[in-house]
């Protein structure tokens, strides 16, 4: 489905009824990464998975894509599709950065927050330099060159070895990202703010999910988020890397279902 949100065409999929559960994809992915959650969680919630601007089938605009702007797109999008009750946000990696930006601006409308394979801290100097290199690589050699450099870091070694079909699907999904999407998101992530103090303001339990074999998010970042939150709930998923919702979908979905139960939302 496609809707126009403040002049930007946003593609999305939704399934189920009940508490609205907004799923925000990571970089450089799109709503297809949430297929196991659209399937498994629509029994208990109204699962809503949009493509961010410049990703998947949503319209590409020139960057930078500041996390606040992406959060603004999503809040306006929820209004356009008729979400008129408190909603839960689940963001993976860059989706988590956007989810924290959403809390800063629209937290009063939120009933819950799931932070998956993400971090609250800003980029290190080394990470910022890596973004600059990837922006140049994308412009000079195209999206596929950036995807090549990232693909295997997305999974646990076990997934790479045992699930070549999943790795192939993820590569194809990453290559659907537009050049503007890649460069705009890299620019926005590079200069994103520190969200650690934001976490300290959240008054409902917040669920942190991480892959025990995630090569991109060190455990120290997970501990820092846990310490910053007032009511943290933390769960590590074995045999899982950065794309834990695709690598361990049943475990991921049952953790979210239990969390929604704890909040009294299902
Ligand atoms: C993601 O999966 O969204 C990215 O790894 C986030 C990042 O590059 O910081």
């Amino acid at each position: 489905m496609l809707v126009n949100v403040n002049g930007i065409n946003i593609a999305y999929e939704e399934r189920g009824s009940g508490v609205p559960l907004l799923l925000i994809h990571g970089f450089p992915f799109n709503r297809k990464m949430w297929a196991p959650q659209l399937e498994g969680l629509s029994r208990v919630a109204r699962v809503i998975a949009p493509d961010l601007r410049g990703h998947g089938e949503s319209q590409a605009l020139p960057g930078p894509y500041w996390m606040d702007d992406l959060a603004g797109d999503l809040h306006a999008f929820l209004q356009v599709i008729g979400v008129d009750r408190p909603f839960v946000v689940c963001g993976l990696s860059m989706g988590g950065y956007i989810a924290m930006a959403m809390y800063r601006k629209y937290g009063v409308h939120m009933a819950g927050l799931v932070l998956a394979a993400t971090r609250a801290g800003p980029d290190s100097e080394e990470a910022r330099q890596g973004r600059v290199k990837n922006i140049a690589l994308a412009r000079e050699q195209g999206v596929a060159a950036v995807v090549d450099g990232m693909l295997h870091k997305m999974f646990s070694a076990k997934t790479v070895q045992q699930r070549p079909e999943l790795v192939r699907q993820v590569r194809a999904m990453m290559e659907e990202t537009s050049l503007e999407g890649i460069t705009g998101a890299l620019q926005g992530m590079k200069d994103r703010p520190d969200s650690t103090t934001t976490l300290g303001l959240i008054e409902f339990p917040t669920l942190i999910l991480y892959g025990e074999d995630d090569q991109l998010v060190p455990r120290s970042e997970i501990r820092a988020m846990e310490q910053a939150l007032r009511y943290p709930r933390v769960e590590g998923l074995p045999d899982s890397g950065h794309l834990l919702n695709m690598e361990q979908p049943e475990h991921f979905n049952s953790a979210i279902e239990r969390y929604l139960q704890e909040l009294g939302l299902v």
Side-chain angles (χ1 to χ4, degrees), residues 25-29 92-95 97 117 119 123 131 150 154 186 189 192 216-217 242-243:
H25 64 75
F27 169 86
F29 306 115
L92 184 136
S93 201
M94 178 177 76
Y97 312 154
R119 67 183 87 212
D123 271 9
R131 308 259 194 225
M150 295 181 70
M154 295 296 164
L186 285 168
M189 287 193 286
R192 71 183 188 281
L216 297 178
V217 181
H242 195 58
L243 280 177

Side-chain angles (χ1 to χ4, degrees), residues 38-75:
L38 282 156
E39 170 84 29
L41 289 170
S42 53
R43 277 188 309 104
V44 293
R46 177 183 176 189
V47 186
I48 304 164
D51 288 344
L52 296 167
R53 59 165 86 173
H55 295 73
E57 295 176 309
S58 286
Q59 191 176 339
L61 303 180
Y65 293 178
W66 305 121
M67 299 300 110
D68 275 358
D69 291 341
L70 298 173
D73 287 352
L74 293 178
H75 184 250

Side-chain angles (χ1 to χ4, degrees), residues 14 36 38 42 51 79 95 125 128 133 149-150 152 158 164 193 205 210 234 250 252 254:
E14 74 165 282
L38 282 156
S42 53
D51 288 344
Q79 289 177 324
E125 195 42 47
R128 290 164 60 91
K133 279 195 194 136
M150 295 181 70
H152 280 193
K158 192 168 172 185
Y210 66 93
V234 185
E250 280 164 25
F252 188 93
S254 61

Side-chain angles (χ1 to χ4, degrees), residues 65-134:
Y65 293 178
W66 305 121
M67 299 300 110
D68 275 358
D69 291 341
L70 298 173
D73 287 352
L74 293 178
H75 184 250
F77 158 74
L78 290 178
Q79 289 177 324
V80 170
I81 65 163
V83 169
D84 56 4
R85 56 180 277 192
F87 50 87
V88 176
V89 178
C90 168
L92 184 136
S93 201
M94 178 177 76
Y97 312 154
I98 301 164
M100 290 180 263
M102 277 188 92
Y103 185 83
R104 268 194 294 282
K105 289 179 103 173
Y106 314 108
V108 64
H109 304 295
M110 282 165 60
L113 175 62
V114 183
L115 296 169
T118 194
R119 67 183 87 212
D123 271 9
S124 63
E125 195 42 47
E126 192 189 342
R128 290 164 60 91
Q129 283 169 16
R131 308 259 194 225
V132 172
K133 279 195 194 136
N134 265 340

Side-chain angles (χ1 to χ4, degrees), residues 138-226:
R139 288 191 179 134
E140 284 156 21
Q141 295 182 34
V143 168
V146 176
V147 172
D148 278 343
M150 295 181 70
L151 184 66
H152 280 193
K153 296 186 199 145
M154 295 296 164
F155 307 100
S156 69
K158 192 168 172 185
T159 301
V160 171
Q161 207 178 29
Q162 297 186 353
R163 299 182 63 192
E165 182 53 24
L166 177 66
V167 176
R168 196 197 57 73
Q169 273 172 20
V170 169
R171 175 195 285 276
M173 171 173 52
M174 291 166 88
E175 288 183 351
E176 286 168 5
T177 313
S178 65
L179 180 61
E180 290 98 325
I182 295 268
T183 56
L186 285 168
Q187 288 169 318
M189 287 193 286
K190 171 174 147 303
D191 291 324
R192 71 183 188 281
D194 189 340
S195 292
T196 310
T197 51
T198 305
L199 296 186
L201 305 173
I202 302 177
E203 288 183 354
F204 44 70
T206 298
L207 178 61
I208 297 173
L209 295 174
Y210 66 93
E212 289 186 352
D213 304 322
D214 191 335
Q215 303 175 54
L216 297 178
V217 181
R219 205 63 67 81
S220 56
E221 300 278 2
I222 301 297
R223 277 195 297 272
M225 290 198 297
E226 181 174 9

